[in-house]
């Protein structure tokens, strides 16, 4: 997914809020770049860079392409580039670095003053390091430098990203969540592509230089860092975190690109992966219209996640754009009709074959060949719910009612028939071509069922959640960290907050370990890891449910037992930003910090309470049942600049 250094990178246009940036030195005079980083991958040797003695370029162990820069051991050695900014902007700088000792540094200096730096650890294999949010004004001098330490240092693949539009800040009684969130938000934004960059297409492990170039559109990495693309499955799981960071343009553009790929010729499957130009299909996963990787759950997850992105951004394109709207309709109707032949029951099927013929489940490993699976039926249920919500906002009440009934009927069918009568490891989670029922541990087709909330709350679901936790903690633990990143979502869905937090901490604590795919680098450099931790902090621990089109939100504290309080500043919903603090599960404070609109806030607290105090004044509480749990609620209008505290005693 990273650009090969054999291809020159050229930024033609930046985000509307940023000055244009060129990464290659091939800009025309008319481009007037704010910043021009020459030869970012050292493919042109020393061009554009300054080298002290004891440094140079080599071709022996590049991270990508054919070149790298090296620094010999010992102090005082530096590889650097000095650039004059021609306009204002704010940027992140990332590079892949390996070091055989400590003391080395990756530094950005503005007008001679350090604006950001990374102290390099002793890690002799490549990992990705980022300097975040370097602000530049026109005329500033920027120095990007790599400095030596006690061992050799190798440097490769410098990348520039626009700083995230939103910079939420966490504080808490628990320093773990503060460190986790700060790491995750910075790492997540380092994967954002700068629109207008000219870069390689179809880069993969077999094609390190790709098969040509294209102009990149708004997008971010979602999938392997050694491929020039984003993946539907990964992107779906990263939408929430991207929304928290204000990456609304990227979410919309990427979802629309997948929607455009789901043609009648493809039998309404979206393609599995798209290059960063948002147009061409990644060749390693796409051979022709009859042979491309496709997995049933992704078709439905993209509908669900479009609705989620809409609730965060309030962008009317999600209901007005014909490409998106037609995708929702085809995914929830024609797609199902075309893929419901072997076990006709209104549940979309896979082929029972390999990934290039369409599979029913995200679990690609093993000897099973299901045609229906727990992750596909669960995702179909959420797509129906999303379609109902989107249709309501579009003003089509009849369609909204129709899809609410379809969702309710599918959930009833799942719980009364499809999932069998077993519990725990004996519950049905998939079906094969000949009607065989699969039970036991199915990884994605196990945990997606409660995660998508198609399972009715109660003893059976509680037993299954115990089974998932036991399997994931033991011999059934997935070997890839990106799979484990789903577990917090699964347990938050049923208010198992301590277990969800346990898995968030596990994912974070594994960030420096090597990923099973060696080209990927450490676990933390798999993009899904950072994006999901951002989303799980805001949507999980803080329980924020936005509805920007309605100028509304609701919140539920899901703090674990050992976390006294948690506060997040700069949560953007639509055109407003908010600060939210939870003190345990009994007190929540919301500030409508910036923006023009008043928002309706529903503060929810677990359990049944007769009254909720709003700014110290008692108010009769209403009760609401959400996924089997009872909550006491109070609704209040929070005007711009106002702070409101809700508390139960």
């Amino acid at each position: 997914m990273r650009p090969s250094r054999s291809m020159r990178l050229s930024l033609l246009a930046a985000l509307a809020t940023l000055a244009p940036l060129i990464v290659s030195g091939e800009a025309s005079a008319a481009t007037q770049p704010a910043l021009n980083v020459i030869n970012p991958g050292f493919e042109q040797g020393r061009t554009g860079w300054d080298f002290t003695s004891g440094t140079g370029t080599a071709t022996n162990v590049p991270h990508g392409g054919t070149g790298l820069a090296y620094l010999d051991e010992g102090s005082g050695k530096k590889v650097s580039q000095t650039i004059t900014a021609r306009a204002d902007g704010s940027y992140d700088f990332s590079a892949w670095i390996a070091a055989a000792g400590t003391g080395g540094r990756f530094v950005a200096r503005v007008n001679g003053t350090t604006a950001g730096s990374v102290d390099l650890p002793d890690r002799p294999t490549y990992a990705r390091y980022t300097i975040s949010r370097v602000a530049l004004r026109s005329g500033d001098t920027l120095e990007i430098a790599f400095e030596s330490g006690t061992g050799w240092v190798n440097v490769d693949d410098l990348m520039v990203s626009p700083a995230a539009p939103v910079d939420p800040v966490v504080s808490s009684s628990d320093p773990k969540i503060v460190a986790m969130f700060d790491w995750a938000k910075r790492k997540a934004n380092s994967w954002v592509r700068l629109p207008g960059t000219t870069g390689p297409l179809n880069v993969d492990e077999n094609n390190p230089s790709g098969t040509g170039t294209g102009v990149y559109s708004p997008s971010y990495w979602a999938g392997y860092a050694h491929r020039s693309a984003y993946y539907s499955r990964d992107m779906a799981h990263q939408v929430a975190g991207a929304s928290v960071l204000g990456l609304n343009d990227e979410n919309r553009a990427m979802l629309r690109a997948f929607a455009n790929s789901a043609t009648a010729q493809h039998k309404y499957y979206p393609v599995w992966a798209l290059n960063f130009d948002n147009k061409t299909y990644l060749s390693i996963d796409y051979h022709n219209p009859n042979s491309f990787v496709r997995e049933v759950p992704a078709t439905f997850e993209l509908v669900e996640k479009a609705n989620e992105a809409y609730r965060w951004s309030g962008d009317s394109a999600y209901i007005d754009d014909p490409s998106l709207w037609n995708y929702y309709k085809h995914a929830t109707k024609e797609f199902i009709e075309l893929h419901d032949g072997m076990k006709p029951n209104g549940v979309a099927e896979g082929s029972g074959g390999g990934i290039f013929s369409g599979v029913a489940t995200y679990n690609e490993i093993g000897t099973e060949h299901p045609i229906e699976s727990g992750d596909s039926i669960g995702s179909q249920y959420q797509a129906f719910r999303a379609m109902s919500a989107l249709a309501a906002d579009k003003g089509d009440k009849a369609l909204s009612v129709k899809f609410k009934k379809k969702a309710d009927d599918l959930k009833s069918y799942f719980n009364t028939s499809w999932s069998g009568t077993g519990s725990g490891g004996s519950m049905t989670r998939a079906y094969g071509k000949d009607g065989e029922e699969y039970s036991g541990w199915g990884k994605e087709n196990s945990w997606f069922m409660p995660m998508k909330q198609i399972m009715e709350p109660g003893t059976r679901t509680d037993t299954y959640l115990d089974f998932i936790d036991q399997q994931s903690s033991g011999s059934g633990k997935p070997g890839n960290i990106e799979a484990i990143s789903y577990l917090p979502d699964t347990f938050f869905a049923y208010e198992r907050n301590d277990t969800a937090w346990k898995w968030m901490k596990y994912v974070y604590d594994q960030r420096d370990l090597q990923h099973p795919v060696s080209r990927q680098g450490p676990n933390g450099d798999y993009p899904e890891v950072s994006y999901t931790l951002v989303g799980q902090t805001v949507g999980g621990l803080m329980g924020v449910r936005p509805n920007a089109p309605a100028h509304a939100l609701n919140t539920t504290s899901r703090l674990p037992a050992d976390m006294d309080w948690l506060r997040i500043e700069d949560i953007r919903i639509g055109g407003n930003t908010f600060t939210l603090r939870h003190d345990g599960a009994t007190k929540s404070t919301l500030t409508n910090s910036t923006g023009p609109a008043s928002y309706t806030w529903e503060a929810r607290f677990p359990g049944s309470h007769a009254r909720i105090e709003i700014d110290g004044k008692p108010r009769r509480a209403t009760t609401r049942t959400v996924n089997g749990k009872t909550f006491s609620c109070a609704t209040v209008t929070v005007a711009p600049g106002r702070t409101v505290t809700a508390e139960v005693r």
Side-chain angles (χ1 to χ4, degrees):
M1 290 169 16
R2 65 174 187 279
S4 165
R5 291 183 308 256
S6 63
M7 303 294 182
R8 289 185 175 184
L9 301 179
S10 204
L11 177 70
L12 304 178
L15 293 173
T17 57
L18 294 173
L21 176 69
I22 298 296
V23 185
S24 82
E26 249 187 23
S28 68
T31 305
Q32 296 288 317
L35 206 61
N36 184 12
V37 180
I38 300 170
N39 188 22
F42 304 98
E43 293 305 298
Q44 290 82 47
R46 295 178 173 237
T47 301
W49 295 89
D50 296 318
F51 293 79
T52 66
S53 61
T55 68
T57 59
T59 59
N60 54 335
V61 283
H63 175 259
T66 59
L68 72 143
Y70 70 86
L71 298 86
D72 289 336
E73 66 182 50
S75 62
K77 302 172 180 66
K78 183 167 74 169
V79 176
S80 63
Q81 184 169 157
T82 301
I83 308 149
T84 299
R86 300 184 184 178
D88 297 353
S90 184
Y91 303 99
D92 291 1
F93 300 92
S94 302
W96 289 88
I97 304 173
T102 60
R105 290 208 307 163
F106 173 26
V107 188
R109 297 183 178 92
V110 178
N111 300 326
T113 300
T114 298
S117 66
V118 177
D119 293 329
L120 302 176
D122 181 356
R123 187 186 184 98
T125 56
Y126 280 108
R128 198 164 183 268
Y129 302 93
T130 299
I131 299 170
S132 299
R133 308 191 80 83
V134 175
L136 297 168
R137 293 188 176 276
S138 179
D140 282 348
T141 298
L142 169 71
E143 180 193 32
I144 300 170
F146 304 96
E147 299 175 347
S148 61
T150 60
W152 55 259
V153 177
N154 288 345
V155 178
D156 207 353
D157 292 332
L158 178 69
M159 174 180 157
V160 184
S161 301
V166 182
D167 186 25
V169 177
V170 160
S171 54
S172 176
S173 59
D174 187 342
K176 183 86 168 188
I177 185 59
V178 177
M180 180 190 298
F181 189 82
D182 187 63
W183 172 86
K185 72 174 182 179
R186 295 176 186 276
K187 178 64 73 171
N189 193 71
S190 77
W191 297 109
V192 178
R193 300 298 331 188
L194 202 58
T197 301
T198 297
L201 305 176
N202 299 319
V203 174
D204 60 55
E205 53 271 33
N206 303 316
N207 239 343
S209 296
T211 60
T213 61
V215 178
Y216 292 168
S217 294
S219 55
Y220 48 80
W221 252 297
Y224 288 131
H226 58 275
R227 296 181 181 175
S228 60
Y230 53 87
Y231 282 75
S232 54
R233 170 182 174 166
D234 295 71
M235 190 261 175
H237 203 204
Q238 292 175 213
V239 162
S243 297
V244 171
L245 295 177
L247 303 178
N248 299 323
D249 291 344
E250 288 78 5
N251 278 342
R252 183 185 63 252
M254 295 162 73
L255 286 164
R256 191 175 190 276
F258 281 120
N260 286 335
S261 76
T263 61
Q265 187 180 34
H266 290 154
K267 296 183 179 179
Y268 298 111
Y269 269 109
V271 298
W272 192 231
L274 282 147
N275 282 291
F276 295 121
D277 64 354
N278 291 357
K279 295 185 294 184
T280 55
Y281 311 148
L282 186 69
S283 58
I284 194 173
D285 294 309
Y286 187 92
H287 300 159
N288 59 59
N290 298 311
S291 178
F292 63 98
V293 177
R294 52 211 134 136
E295 302 186 3
V296 173
T299 305
F300 297 122
E301 280 212 286
L302 294 176
V303 180
E304 175 192 1
K305 298 305 178 176
N307 181 56
E308 185 172 3
Y310 177 48
R311 301 299 151 190
W312 275 104
S313 67
D315 186 346
S316 62
Y318 286 105
I319 56 174
D320 293 337
D321 186 313
S323 295
L324 290 169
W325 189 253
N326 287 334
Y327 177 77
Y328 313 149
K329 292 196 300 182
H330 292 315
T332 54
K333 186 179 185 297
E334 286 88 352
F335 177 79
I336 298 167
E337 294 168 352
L338 285 169
H339 304 281
D340 187 27
M342 289 178 277
K343 181 180 169 62
N345 57 356
V347 177
E349 300 168 349
S351 66
I355 57 175
F356 278 89
S357 62
V359 295
T361 177
Y362 283 151
N363 185 2
E364 303 169 357
I365 301 173
T367 59
E368 298 175 353
H369 301 286
I371 61 166
E372 293 182 4
S373 70
D375 43 344
S376 60
I377 191 172
S379 298
Q380 183 174 328
Y381 166 68
Q382 284 296 335
F384 284 167
R385 293 190 64 198
M387 188 61 175
S388 177
L390 290 162
D393 277 25
K394 196 172 177 66
D396 193 335
K397 182 178 180 180
L399 189 65
S400 177
V401 170
K402 173 184 175 181
F403 273 94
K404 182 182 184 306
K405 185 177 187 305
K406 288 172 76 71
D408 292 345
D409 289 348
L410 186 62
K411 186 172 186 175
S412 176
Y413 170 60
F414 172 89
N415 286 282
T416 59
S417 179
W418 192 94
S419 60
T421 58
S423 181
S426 63
M427 190 171 75
T428 300
R429 55 169 173 79
Y431 287 88
K433 284 183 178 180
D434 298 322
E436 62 270 33
E437 299 181 20
Y438 296 115
S439 58
W441 181 230
K443 296 182 180 176
E444 284 89 346
N445 55 63
S446 287
W447 66 65
F448 261 63
M449 295 188 293
M451 189 183 79
K452 296 300 185 183
Q453 300 183 34
I454 197 171
M455 297 182 69
E456 286 286 1
T459 301
R460 189 172 184 236
T461 295
D462 290 341
T463 301
Y464 202 69
L465 288 167
D466 291 340
F467 171 70
I468 290 170
D469 190 39
Q470 291 162 3
Q471 292 295 313
S472 299
S473 300
S475 60
K477 180 178 291 182
N480 54 328
I481 196 69
E482 61 271 25
I484 298 173
S485 71
Y486 286 99
L487 294 178
D489 300 305
T490 298
F491 292 103
F492 277 131
Y494 289 84
E495 309 300 324
R496 291 201 173 193
N497 306 327
D498 288 355
T499 307
W501 175 232
K502 177 189 78 172
W503 285 110
M504 286 181 68
K505 290 188 289 186
Y506 177 86
V507 169
Y508 176 66
D509 289 343
Q510 304 300 303
R511 68 192 182 282
D512 292 328
L513 299 182
Q514 179 63 43
H515 190 275
V517 178
S518 59
R519 291 175 180 267
Q520 173 59 44
N523 284 328
D525 284 336
Y526 197 98
E528 199 170 353
V529 169
S530 53
Y531 277 89
T532 54
L533 289 175
V534 170
Q536 288 157 358
T537 300
V538 178
L541 291 170
M542 298 299 284
V544 175
R545 291 293 178 269
N547 190 359
H551 290 162
L553 73 155
N554 65 69
T555 64
T556 305
S557 172
R558 295 201 183 100
L559 303 191
D562 60 357
M563 190 180 296
D564 295 333
W565 62 272
L566 178 61
R567 180 180 185 269
I568 302 184
E569 181 182 352
D570 203 10
I571 303 171
R572 182 174 297 177
I573 302 173
N576 287 53
T577 61
F578 299 86
T579 296
L580 176 66
R581 171 171 169 149
H582 291 314
D583 289 270
T586 61
K587 182 179 179 182
S588 299
T589 302
L590 181 73
T591 300
N592 188 345
S593 305
T594 66
S598 295
Y599 269 66
T600 301
W601 174 37
E602 183 179 85
R604 298 178 179 177
F605 299 94
S608 182
H609 303 273
R611 285 175 172 75
I612 296 174
E613 291 185 2
I614 301 297
D615 291 336
K617 297 179 180 179
R619 178 183 296 190
R620 185 182 299 277
T622 60
T623 58
R624 182 188 297 275
T625 301
V626 181
N627 201 29
K629 302 293 184 182
T630 298
F631 293 89
S632 298
C633 310
T635 301
V636 60
T637 299
V638 186
R642 185 185 176 195
T643 296
V644 176
T645 297
E647 186 173 9
V648 294
R649 297 184 184 275

